[in-house]
Amino acid sequence: MSVTAAQGFTAAGIAAGLKENGNPDLALVVNNGPRLAAAGVFTSNRVKAAPVVWSEQVLKGGTVSAVVLNSGGANACTGPLGFQDTHATAEQAAEVLGLNAGEVAIASTGLIGLRLPMDKLLPGIDRAAAELTEHGGEKAAIAIKTTDSVHKTAVVTRDGWTVGGMAKGAGMLAPGLATMLVVLTTDADVPAAGLDTALRAATRTTFDRVDSDGCMSTNDTVLLLASGASGVVPDTAAFAEAVRAVCDDLARQLIGDAEGASKDIRIEVVGAASEDDAVEVGRSIARNNLLKCALHGEDPNWGRVLSAIGTTSAVFEPDQLNVAINDIWVCKNGSVGEDRELVDMRYREVRITADLAAGTESAVIWANDLTADYVHENSAYSS
Amino acid sequence: MSVTAAQGFTAAGIAAGLKENGNPDLALVVNNGPRLAAAGVFTSNRVKAAPVVWSEQVLKGGTVSAVVLNSGGANACTGPLGFQDTHATAEQAAEVLGLNAGEVAIASTGLIGLRLPMDKLLPGIDRAAAELTEHGGEKAAIAIKTTDSVHKTAVVTRDGWTVGGMAKGAGMLAPGLATMLVVLTTDADVPAAGLDTALRAATRTTFDRVDSDGCMSTNDTVLLLASGASGVVPDTAAFAEAVRAVCDDLARQLIGDAEGASKDIRIEVVGAASEDDAVEVGRSIARNNLLKCALHGEDPNWGRVLSAIGTTSAVFEPDQLNVAINDIWVCKNGSVGEDRELVDMRYREVRITADLAAGTESAVIWANDLTADYVHENSAYSS
């Protein structure tokens, strides 16, 4: 049900002709209220696409009436003219929907460095507006796909209110593989500040801990819109948990559909002196190309895990490190542990546990393996 | 001519049986003096192999009489017993050569987490010692190969003195791809402190600026040994330049033979506010898997360069960034520049120039592309 699972939202997804192959490429999500509260989290890349720069401004007001999302072009590194294109997109949506352009968020994904074909995009907005329905969430989720093999949606329903959402991409907020675009909606009655708190807490331990290939996008955007249409003011903790659950679900779907990947790698760092240490070590393991290749080859190569840990500034002693792969402690006290032949590597999910033996903090990072398919897909992307 | 190009050195390379395929795997380099000065630079990985821990101690004395190098096993993450193996190796070499074990450096390369077969290594040292000659440099260079397709040597001769050396691996000091082992020798009459100064200056802008795959080894070792056999005390600047030239030559050979690579990528960052900024940006570009894939596909995807620059903390304004690929300025002022169709990507060397427009400092980083062959080679390495 995606972004229309919650009451008070309509959506549409159409083929505006931005993609040469004629696939759907333009999505519209409209908040029909009564509340128009919103929060957003954006890429931390300093090179930001025009729609990110625009939407960051929109979100400062805490009000979003509609979101226009397009695949088929990132509108990044397109200079002042690219920003004008984003502005014109918001104006067009505002006009056809009878809204204020300053309350229309924009998100784009696709190749960097190309202007969008505005002669197709602007009429597309009119057509999408004409197709807005309370059941349009699925079509909207399909229209934002780029290299995604499947569209990604998630819904959580609680006592009288719902959080739903859609996502595209195979990566994360910071950093991000392909651009990640996420729109979450809720009919819970929550003001912008409450949405912001819940969204930041949720993304910090979900999308922010997905590290498929270590590359950060110029366009990553996660929006949370509240219509208040349920009339229910939710318990703060329950709402935060529902937002986290939807984010976690979508984040796992991103990892599961990462470009060319054959393994989903769950890296849990335990025994850390601080959560920051645990995240730093987890990311270092997640980004080690040699390890990612080894896991693709179903080789429980724990030496490459230790080698990755050794590049961090986390608190640990090399001769106290312990590493388990799929629950077999192949490395104990920095040296050979249980027989690596015991590790069963046949399944898509690989679980790495790294024990720093330096404290009680922990963190989980999700990553993918490195495959020939990843290379092929990303060698040919823009050609 | 390798490590025996300079007077005062003998070397040997044999098959001791450490490698299952019977290829040469044990090298011995002996400094016959009159001077026995030495300097060393080691991996900055905090997880250090036993031979690195040992050799760092040896080098503190500034005297090295002999170096034992083995492929076929890294002796990393092998605990106290692994360290005893390294110690025993030095003792064996010392005994057969009539030296002090505390002046025998050890370097190992191969799989992490496996003990070395000492029943083969120790007799191998005796056999290698029996084969030491003034022409053994080539055989020594061959014996330290792991995944190297060719052995790597370089020699520079100046007024009455010579610097020569050998290298294995396809990476760098910090970080390093496969383990990089390098032994340089000179017959110039230079004390340990002078060697140390020249070596650190040289590695800082050569091996340290090679970033083939962003992975740092537990075993990287670069040694410079001086025999003083030429009787010539060289000009300090000329000696530093000769050491740098040999390091640069060997570093380029490492990049040119990197595992599975099809492109050598020269990344020059100019217009930086500081050299540190230039290096940070260069490394970020060098490690961007999406860009490495694009270059493999001969796609001058400058958007991925900007995306990589945007993840750094260097001084720059996004709308002032300029990027050239093979001398075509495809990105100007953070936006579309010259026609990317003009970029000729057919050759192995790809030159990326990133202008931060923030100062006058610069740095060059060398990297490789990411290929299906890299994945294949590193998926099957330890199986």
Side-chain angles (χ1 to χ4, degrees):
Chain A
M1 290 286 284
S2 175
V3 289
T4 49
Q7 301 175 65
F9 293 92
T10 49
I14 67 157
L18 309 177
K19 286 180 180 167
E20 288 186 6
N21 63 11
N23 284 343
D25 49 23
L26 182 64
L28 195 54
V29 180
V30 176
N31 186 351
N32 300 298
R35 193 186 267 288
L36 300 174
V41 181
F42 301 91
T43 182
S44 57
N45 199 311
R46 292 168 61 198
V47 175
K48 296 180 201 300
V52 169
V53 175
W54 171 269
S55 297
E56 281 184 328
Q57 282 300 317
V58 170
L59 266 295
K60 282 184 181 170
T63 300
V64 170
S65 306
V67 186
V68 180
L69 306 99
N70 74 274
S71 51
N75 197 10
C77 304
T78 45
L81 295 175
F83 189 79
Q84 286 179 24
D85 291 342
T86 289
H87 188 175
T89 302
E91 291 284 359
Q92 182 76 15
E95 183 173 325
V96 67
L97 296 168
L99 306 172
N100 176 348
E103 296 173 6
V104 177
I106 311 287
S108 302
T109 178
L111 189 63
I112 295 174
L114 288 182
R115 297 276 302 280
L116 290 171
M118 297 303 288
D119 58 328
K120 293 173 179 167
L121 178 55
L122 296 182
I125 290 171
D126 295 355
R127 286 174 41 220
E131 296 193 15
L132 284 167
T133 77
E134 293 176 359
H135 309 288
E138 207 80 12
K139 283 190 174 175
I142 290 169
I144 60 175
K145 285 171 56 184
T146 52
T147 57
D148 306 67
S149 68
V150 293
H151 63 284
K152 301 163 181 83
T153 66
V155 175
V156 164
T157 297
R158 294 286 182 259
D159 292 345
W161 52 272
T162 293
V163 178
M166 64 180 184
K168 68 77 47 180
M172 71 229 73
L173 267 181
L177 166 59
T179 293
M180 182 185 66
L181 302 185
V182 180
V183 179
L184 308 177
T185 58
T186 182
D187 47 20
D189 189 9
V190 182
L195 299 177
D196 189 69
T197 301
L199 184 61
R200 286 182 193 281
T203 56
R204 195 178 74 85
T205 60
T206 56
F207 296 121
D208 273 352
R209 302 238 170 126
V210 168
D211 201 327
S212 178
D213 73 348
C215 298
M216 190 194 297
S217 165
T218 50
N219 289 55
D220 292 328
T221 300
V222 181
L223 302 176
L224 171 57
L225 278 53
S227 69
S230 71
V232 179
V233 177
D235 172 72
T236 303
F239 182 70
E241 173 51 28
V243 173
R244 198 206 61 77
V246 172
C247 288
D248 193 49
D249 188 337
L250 291 172
R252 288 284 292 113
Q253 292 183 50
L254 293 177
I255 278 286
D257 192 34
E259 290 172 343
S262 71
K263 300 285 186 189
D264 300 346
I265 308 167
R266 181 185 192 274
I267 301 159
E268 182 167 20
V269 181
V270 301
S274 68
E275 189 179 354
D276 283 352
D277 272 11
V279 171
E280 182 191 359
V281 168
R283 272 200 203 289
S284 180
I285 296 170
R287 293 180 181 178
N288 189 281
N289 278 353
L290 290 173
L291 175 66
K292 287 156 74 87
C293 287
L295 297 179
H296 174 54
E298 306 199 334
D299 168 14
N301 195 321
W302 60 267
R304 293 175 181 175
V305 177
L306 257 68
S307 175
I309 297 173
T311 65
T312 71
S313 60
V315 176
F316 69 83
E317 292 299 327
D319 61 359
Q320 293 178 14
L321 294 170
N322 306 300
V323 174
I325 301 180
N326 287 348
D327 307 321
I328 306 297
W329 289 92
V330 284
C331 171
K332 291 182 179 175
N333 297 319
S335 182
V336 186
E338 294 180 63
D339 186 354
R340 44 170 281 150
E341 300 298 326
L342 298 174
V343 182
D344 185 350
M345 297 287 289
R346 289 172 298 170
Y347 303 100
R348 181 171 175 106
E349 184 169 315
V350 178
R351 295 181 309 286
I352 296 176
T353 312
D355 173 15
L356 304 185
T360 59
E361 297 297 318
S362 65
V364 172
I365 299 281
W366 282 93
N368 290 109
D369 57 342
L370 185 54
T371 71
D373 286 347
Y374 174 89
V375 174
H376 291 146
E377 190 155 349
N378 289 296
S379 299
Y381 185 79
S382 78
S383 55
Chain B
M1 292 282 284
S2 177
V3 289
T4 48
Q7 300 175 67
F9 293 92
T10 50
I14 67 157
L18 308 177
K19 286 179 179 166
E20 287 186 6
N21 63 11
N23 283 343
D25 49 23
L26 183 63
L28 197 52
V29 180
V30 176
N31 186 349
N32 300 298
R35 194 185 267 285
L36 300 175
V41 181
F42 301 91
T43 182
S44 57
N45 199 311
R46 292 168 61 196
V47 175
K48 296 179 200 302
V52 169
V53 176
W54 171 269
S55 296
E56 281 184 328
Q57 282 300 319
V58 169
L59 267 294
K60 283 184 180 169
T63 302
V64 170
S65 306
V67 187
V68 181
L69 307 99
N70 73 274
S71 51
N75 197 10
C77 304
T78 45
L81 295 175
F83 189 80
Q84 287 179 23
D85 291 341
T86 290
H87 188 176
T89 302
E91 291 285 358
Q92 183 75 14
E95 183 173 327
V96 67
L97 296 169
L99 307 171
N100 177 347
E103 296 173 6
V104 177
I106 311 288
S108 302
T109 178
L111 189 62
I112 295 175
L114 287 182
R115 296 276 303 279
L116 291 170
M118 297 303 288
D119 58 329
K120 293 173 179 167
L121 178 54
L122 296 183
I125 290 171
D126 295 355
R127 284 174 42 221
E131 295 193 17
L132 285 167
T133 77
E134 293 174 0
H135 309 288
E138 207 80 11
K139 283 189 174 177
I142 291 168
I144 60 175
K145 285 170 57 183
T146 52
T147 57
D148 307 65
S149 68
V150 293
H151 62 284
K152 300 161 181 85
T153 65
V155 175
V156 163
T157 296
R158 296 284 182 260
D159 291 344
W161 52 272
T162 292
V163 178
M166 63 180 183
K168 70 77 47 179
M172 70 231 75
L173 265 182
L177 167 58
T179 293
M180 182 185 66
L181 303 184
V182 179
V183 179
L184 308 176
T185 57
T186 182
D187 47 20
D189 189 9
V190 182
L195 299 177
D196 189 68
T197 301
L199 184 61
R200 287 181 191 281
T203 57
R204 196 178 74 84
T205 59
T206 56
F207 296 121
D208 274 351
R209 302 239 170 126
V210 168
D211 200 328
S212 177
D213 74 346
C215 297
M216 188 195 297
S217 166
T218 51
N219 288 56
D220 292 328
T221 299
V222 181
L223 301 176
L224 170 57
L225 278 53
S227 70
S230 70
V232 179
V233 176
D235 171 71
T236 301
F239 182 69
E241 173 50 30
V243 172
R244 199 206 61 78
V246 172
C247 287
D248 193 49
D249 188 337
L250 291 172
R252 288 284 293 112
Q253 292 184 51
L254 293 177
I255 278 287
D257 192 34
E259 290 173 344
S262 72
K263 299 285 187 191
D264 300 346
I265 308 167
R266 181 184 192 274
I267 301 158
E268 181 167 20
V269 181
V270 301
S274 68
E275 188 178 357
D276 283 351
D277 272 10
V279 171
E280 182 191 358
V281 168
R283 270 198 206 290
S284 181
I285 296 170
R287 293 179 182 180
N288 189 282
N289 278 353
L290 289 173
L291 175 66
K292 289 156 72 87
C293 288
L295 297 179
H296 173 54
E298 305 198 336
D299 168 13
N301 195 321
W302 60 267
R304 293 175 181 176
V305 177
L306 257 68
S307 175
I309 297 173
T311 65
T312 70
S313 60
V315 176
F316 69 83
E317 292 300 326
D319 61 0
Q320 294 178 13
L321 294 170
N322 305 301
V323 173
I325 301 180
N326 287 349
D327 306 321
I328 305 297
W329 289 91
V330 283
C331 171
K332 291 182 179 175
N333 297 320
S335 183
V336 186
E338 294 180 64
D339 185 355
R340 43 169 282 154
E341 300 299 324
L342 298 173
V343 182
D344 185 349
M345 297 287 290
R346 290 173 297 172
Y347 302 100
R348 182 173 174 104
E349 185 169 314
V350 178
R351 294 181 310 286
I352 296 176
T353 311
D355 173 15
L356 303 186
T360 57
E361 297 297 318
S362 65
V364 172
I365 300 280
W366 282 92
N368 291 108
D369 57 343
L370 185 54
T371 71
D373 286 348
Y374 174 88
V375 174
H376 291 146
E377 190 156 347
N378 289 296
S379 300
Y381 184 79
S382 77
S383 53

